[in-house]
Amino acid sequence: MAAEEATETSYVETVTVSCDGGGGPLGHPRVFLNLEETGEVDCPYCSHKFILADGAKEASGH
Ligand SMILES: [Zn+2]
């Protein structure tokens, strides 16, 4: 078990998400990430992983 800093994972229902590091000590400028291609993406700043939840719909703007 590597003693890496904890990488959190979030399941989201939209193909676009924003991450700002949670506003804690590891916070970072808000970035928008797109899960449309692979269904998952890692935040380049804090390595927080976002996974597109099963049955998620495409963003409709509604
Ligand atoms: Zn982040």
Side-chain angles (χ1 to χ4, degrees):
M1 301 302 177
E4 298 175 1
E5 68 182 81
T7 299
E8 297 189 37
T9 302
S10 292
Y11 291 86
V12 298
E13 296 184 351
T14 57
V15 296
T16 55
V17 297
S18 65
C19 182
D20 63 4
L26 297 179
H28 58 71
R30 178 164 296 193
V31 292
F32 290 88
L33 307 170
N34 192 319
L35 296 80
E36 196 163 18
E37 291 185 14
T38 62
E40 63 178 67
V41 65
D42 292 324
C43 175
Y45 287 93
C46 67
S47 298
H48 192 126
K49 188 165 202 160
F50 295 91
I51 298 177
L52 195 60
D54 224 17
K57 302 173 185 175
E58 289 189 20
S60 65
H62 181 64

